Amino acid sequence: MAGLLEQAKQFVSDTVASMAKPEATVTDVDLKAVALGSVTYLAKVKVSNPYSTPIPIGEIRYVLKSSGSEIATGTIPDPGSLKASGDTMLDVEIKVPHSVLVSLVKDIAVDWDIDYELQVNLVVDLPLIGDISIPVSSKGEIKLPSLSDFFT
């Protein structure tokens, strides 16, 4: 009987491992707003749901790094659901204090942008399986606001 139970567990484990899972990519990171104490960037994350039912997203966690240092971290609780059998575009707002930008002067002075690495972790709730994490990362350059951005 114990052997049958082990075979059943192995079958379920193999079946779950071979199932299609949601996949995500960062499609864009751009300036959203400039405030007195911070700059807000907007990351667009495209998530493909292979299932015929919507999937609730528990939370989105993000870490923005530059020159190996964390410059912003955060969590977005309960951002909605993934569309059934299709793509969902998620907006991840990242607020970077001006004081952090000052610490990146060496990188910024060269070309007026921040070389970044963005790590996003989507936590989704799959029925019968439970919470799974979908890690996504992206590298690139974020342009900093110019004086004209403050007056438009």
Side-chain angles (χ1 to χ4, degrees), residues 145-152:
S146 62
L147 284 176
S148 63
D149 293 320
F150 287 98
F151 299 109
T152 57

Side-chain angles (χ1 to χ4, degrees), residues 9-24:
K9 284 183 184 178
Q10 186 62 43
F11 174 76
V12 170
S13 177
D14 291 344
T15 302
V16 168
S18 66
M19 288 174 52
K21 295 174 183 66
E23 295 181 3

Side-chain angles (χ1 to χ4, degrees), residues 23 45-50 81-90:
E23 295 181 3
V45 180
K46 179 179 155 186
V47 186
S48 299
N49 178 5
S81 297
L82 301 178
K83 294 180 204 169
S85 301
D87 295 337
T88 302
M89 202 59 119
L90 300 172

Side-chain angles (χ1 to χ4, degrees), residues 37-81:
S38 64
V39 176
T40 303
Y41 293 95
L42 181 64
K44 299 272 189 183
V45 180
K46 179 179 155 186
V47 186
S48 299
N49 178 5
Y51 305 120
S52 59
T53 183
I55 300 173
I57 304 170
E59 68 181 10
I60 300 173
R61 290 181 230 133
Y62 64 85
V63 176
L64 182 64
K65 295 180 179 181
S66 182
S67 301
S69 299
E70 286 185 8
I71 61 173
T73 62
T75 302
I76 301 170
D78 195 24
S81 297

